[in-house]
Amino acid sequence: MFDDLKRKITTILDQKETSTDLRLQQVCELLRNTVPHYDWVGFYFKNGNKNELKLGPYAGQPTEHTIIPFGKGICGQVAISNENFVVPDVKAQDNYIACSLTVKSEIVVPLFLKGENIGQIDIDSNTLNAFSHEDERFLEFVNREVAKTLH
Ligand code: SME
């Protein structure tokens, strides 16, 4: 599944005539519609020179968490740690921002542009312990491809 998805993602991101936001939107929708355990897929980016994240394109239920200060929630922690954060059970996390009561696990993978952590992809699952190393490697690929379209 991931190999096929990788090809489709590269094709989407290669559409030079399409705005970056629309390309990222298409990536979110493709991932959410194709991977059974991806229930909410979105990108957050550093908001200008502020120490906060701003919600970018996403697919799934609207969230009220469109701005997340660095350090807050799983996303805010990844903005500082520069490392993937896999949460098998969101109920076991103290520093967690709930977007929907149906969410049971989450993965956040930072997105680097020229070595700088400029944002992240965030995925929520309604399944407990949904994410594996395979998801991490795949989402690192997605973020590398996205970074190529951003520079
Ligand atoms: N759960 C995230 C907030 C973003 S929503 O999942 C869309 C967090 O704890 O940072």
Side-chain angles (χ1 to χ4, degrees), residues 114-149:
K114 296 177 188 145
E116 192 192 341
N117 180 352
I118 59 147
Q120 51 196 239
I121 189 165
D122 175 19
I123 302 188
D124 287 338
S125 181
N126 297 338
T127 305
L128 206 58
N129 200 7
F131 302 104
S132 68
H133 291 298
E134 227 195 320
D135 295 281
E136 287 191 69
R137 299 295 87 78
F138 170 62
L139 297 170
E140 287 163 1
F141 167 87
V142 172
N143 282 354
R144 280 197 303 274
E145 291 298 297
V146 169
K148 284 188 208 162
T149 73

Side-chain angles (χ1 to χ4, degrees), residues 40 44 63 68 72-76 95-97 99 106 122 124:
W40 189 94
Y44 281 92
T63 171
I68 299 179
K72 298 272 191 239
I74 308 305
C75 297
N95 191 356
Y96 168 73
I97 303 167
C99 277
E106 177 165 3
D122 175 19
D124 287 338

Side-chain angles (χ1 to χ4, degrees), residues 93-113:
Q93 287 294 319
D94 292 333
N95 191 356
Y96 168 73
I97 303 167
C99 277
S100 151
L101 295 173
T102 60
V103 174
K104 294 205 170 61
S105 59
E106 177 165 3
I107 184 170
V108 179
V109 174
L111 197 158
F112 298 98
L113 183 61

Side-chain angles (χ1 to χ4, degrees), residues 74 77 85-97:
I74 308 305
Q77 292 177 77
F85 200 150
V86 178
V87 182
D89 178 2
V90 297
K91 284 210 178 77
Q93 287 294 319
D94 292 333
N95 191 356
Y96 168 73
I97 303 167

Side-chain angles (χ1 to χ4, degrees), residues 5 12 20 23 32 38-40 43 48 55 70 75 81 83 87-88 96 98 101 107 111 130 143-145:
L5 271 178
I12 289 172
T20 303
R23 282 184 266 179
R32 181 168 182 264
Y38 290 7
D39 292 298
W40 189 94
F43 289 95
L55 181 61
F70 280 16
C75 297
S81 72
E83 284 175 6
V87 182
Y96 168 73
L101 295 173
I107 184 170
L111 197 158
N143 282 354
R144 280 197 303 274
E145 291 298 297

